[in-house]
């Protein structure tokens, strides 16, 4: 597993995330980077199990959330924001 933190940013010892759905905070979490990447190792066999493309989304930091339609923002403290719109 890995986390990418963009150019010029060293990987922090801890990462925090706030998850927003349509502008409303629905989850927050903080965890050591080592713990988060260790959890990603659990899905590594799925990535090499067969032919074709496999996408894996983990709840490595927050609990599971229902994938409701709308705008989802994942604000990673001090690094970046990932925005996804579900139809």
């Amino acid at each position: 597993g890995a986390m990418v933190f963009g150019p010029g940013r060293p990987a922090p010892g801890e990462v925090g995330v706030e998850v927003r759905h349509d502008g409303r905070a629905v989850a927050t979490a903080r965890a050591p980077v080592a713990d988060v990447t260790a959890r990603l190792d659990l899905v590594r066999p799925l990535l090499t199990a067969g032919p074709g493309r496999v996408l894996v989304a983990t709840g490595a930091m927050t609990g599971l959330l229902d994938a409701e339609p709308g705008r989802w923002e994942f604000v990673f403290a001090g690094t970046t924001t990932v925005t996804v719109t579900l139809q």
Side-chain angles (χ1 to χ4, degrees):
M3 298 187 79
V4 179
F5 290 96
R9 293 186 184 266
E14 182 177 79
V15 65
V17 66
E18 178 179 75
V19 181
R20 299 177 189 157
H21 179 246
D22 291 335
R24 181 177 60 88
V26 295
T28 58
R30 294 195 77 74
V33 170
D35 288 355
V36 175
T37 55
R39 290 181 199 134
L40 294 175
D41 287 340
L42 297 174
V43 298
R44 190 174 310 280
L46 296 175
L47 301 175
T48 58
R53 203 168 126 190
V54 176
L55 301 176
V56 177
T58 70
M61 291 182 57
T62 66
L64 296 176
L65 300 168
D66 290 333
E68 298 174 7
R71 180 184 171 100
W72 289 87
E73 296 172 284
F74 303 85
V75 182
F76 293 92
T79 58
T80 193
T81 299
V82 175
T83 303
V84 177
T85 301
L86 299 180
Q87 304 269 334

